[in-house]
Amino acid sequence: MTAAGDLTDVEARVLSALDDTAREGRLVADLVDLVAVPSVTGTAAEGDAQRWVADRLGPLGADVDLWRMDLDALRADAGFPGTEAPRDEAWGLVGTLRPDGAQDAPSLVLQGHVDVVPAGDLSAWGDADPFAARVVATPDGEAVMGRGTCDMKAGVVAALAALEAVHRAGVRLRGTVAFHSVVSEEDGGLGAFGTLARGHVGDACVIPEPTGRRVVTANAGALTFRLDVPGRAAHGSSRYEGVSAIEAFARVHAALLDLERERCADPDPLMAGYEIPYPLSIGVVRAGDWASTVPDALVAEGRYGVRLDESPDDARAAFEARVAEVCAGDAWLRDHPVRVTWSGGQFASGRLPAGHALLGAAQQAWATVTGGPEPAPRGGPYGSDLRLYAAAGVPTLHLGPGDVRQAHTAREYVPVEEMHATARALALMVLRHCGTR
């Protein structure tokens, strides 16, 4: 609940309009509708989701820029963040509410991604369709369950609801507010990269990714790698005549886990609450082609955490040096070294500048709408679009509904109350950052 004395008349009017929307069930209904668009990263449904959002922005009086990105030009750019999912199209979308005479007034960006990861093993969802979202009871209260609810379509819906409430309340902003709806966040940030390259920027940016009732002001990076490990084939009955690529990889993997422990030993204070602040994880292993043949090749693919303020080049150098070290000390790998390549998403780290007013604004808005304490800042051990906006000179943080531990899981969900609270907090941030007339 919000104490009336904490709000101006304009703020109270906007929050009342937003509360009416929530009572009418439109927040949940919009989330169910958006989840029904199966916008898995790299699929044509990403474009369908972008058009869904565009349809919500137009009636708000926004200038809507919906464009097909020039993928060849973006891939040729030196700063291209990489991708993992194959694609032949990507759609950008920005809706801008630009009041007359606002050229020199403060501007704020709200940003969200509409792409989601695949649903995974459908049996893990029980008898439910992952893209047919539904209201369920959870330990966190009433929630909406479905693929992409937490990561991050609830945040998208909350941001749109905040803008709609400002519009319904008839408020005239002094500054500009824009909503950047992007694709390809899950595999590198192509959508955000292309949006920024088109010239859509602002004085500050809030991304309602799931933050578990805290404010995320920094992201570690994540680099996708591939290891090609050689072996020597032999019949399984005389395996001593060969060299198993699996056994060779085991030695490399052990060395990489040692590297992970060393890199996590003294983390930045924003990352200190995580058991593993900068994880190194092997996600794919392929080896062998016959049960009775010693495998002569192994391919392993994984993700490697980049520490806060560490350049991706330095992170890669440390990884490659450790692989080279274990190869130099191994009788087989010394002459047949492991090959390391970097592909897919290449997330640098990023953070909100120390002392920036955006943190206090987010904390105060959340405390005002929830009646609770100001949420503590922390870092996230995952890559996100935050670092692309930060690199473009746009101070950015995350404040959004849900807990990232629910993201990408079977039976993913987001609490309804947190979606509503996020919408209210974003509405206050828009009013307070942009000002009213």
Side-chain angles (χ1 to χ4, degrees), residues 92-429:
L93 172 62
V94 172
T96 306
L97 295 166
R98 188 182 292 107
D100 293 339
Q103 289 82 356
D104 298 325
S107 61
L108 180 67
V109 172
L110 304 181
Q111 194 259 32
H113 68 86
V114 296
D115 63 310
V116 302
V117 298
D121 180 5
L122 296 182
S123 67
W125 293 84
D127 59 358
D129 178 351
F131 295 102
R134 60 224 180 267
V135 177
V136 298
T138 74
D140 299 312
E142 190 177 70
V144 181
M145 180 176 289
R147 173 55 82 226
T149 51
C150 178
D151 188 16
M152 63 165 289
K153 289 183 174 180
V156 169
V157 167
L160 292 173
L163 297 179
E164 182 188 19
V166 173
H167 178 73
R168 287 179 63 188
V171 174
R172 296 180 65 204
L173 297 175
R174 187 170 62 86
T176 296
V177 61
F179 183 69
H180 295 186
S181 183
V182 303
V183 300
S184 193
E185 190 275 346
E186 294 290 356
D187 71 333
L190 163 68
F193 184 74
T195 298
L196 293 164
R198 194 168 173 86
H200 291 293
V201 293
D203 295 328
C205 175
V206 180
I207 305 177
E209 290 270 15
T211 57
R213 296 177 173 271
R214 301 184 74 166
V215 180
V216 171
T217 58
N219 281 149
L223 307 175
T224 302
F225 63 85
R226 170 177 166 141
L227 303 174
D228 285 272
V229 184
R232 184 173 64 214
H235 194 283
S237 66
S238 53
R239 69 178 184 86
Y240 47 84
E241 297 289 347
V243 176
S244 169
I246 294 174
E247 294 175 14
F249 168 68
R251 296 189 285 275
V252 175
H253 188 215
L256 290 176
L257 291 179
D258 286 340
L259 176 65
E260 178 193 66
R261 282 189 286 273
E262 293 168 15
R263 290 170 58 80
C264 293
D266 186 24
D268 184 283
L270 287 171
M271 306 296 293
Y274 295 101
E275 182 176 348
I276 304 178
Y278 308 112
L280 191 161
S281 174
I282 302 293
V284 175
V285 177
R286 297 186 295 272
D289 55 13
W290 198 253
S292 59
T293 300
V294 173
D296 61 358
L298 178 145
V299 173
E301 298 171 341
R303 63 90 70 191
Y304 167 55
V306 179
R307 294 180 292 190
L308 289 186
D309 303 322
E310 178 184 36
S311 76
D313 285 344
D314 287 347
R316 293 186 192 100
F319 184 100
E320 292 172 3
R322 186 56 55 94
V323 173
E325 179 183 327
V326 71
C327 289
D330 183 89
W332 169 255
L333 295 176
R334 185 181 304 120
D335 297 323
H336 308 84
V338 174
R339 183 162 63 96
V340 180
T341 52
W342 304 92
S343 61
Q346 302 292 302
F347 292 84
S349 69
R351 70 160 84 217
L352 183 74
H356 196 279
L358 188 63
L359 171 58
Q363 291 173 312
Q364 292 164 17
W366 184 264
T368 298
V369 301
T370 63
E374 293 187 355
R378 78 179 313 184
Y382 46 82
S384 84
D385 285 339
L386 180 154
R387 100 282 188 190
L388 291 170
Y389 282 79
V394 182
T396 302
L397 56 73
H398 292 173
L399 177 67
D403 189 318
V404 72
R405 290 174 295 184
Q406 284 294 326
H408 299 199
T409 65
R411 306 175 72 80
E412 174 185 357
Y413 70 83
V414 65
V416 172
E417 185 275 330
E418 286 189 24
M419 182 167 56
H420 184 199
T422 297
R424 301 177 95 231
L426 293 177
L428 286 187
M429 293 188 72

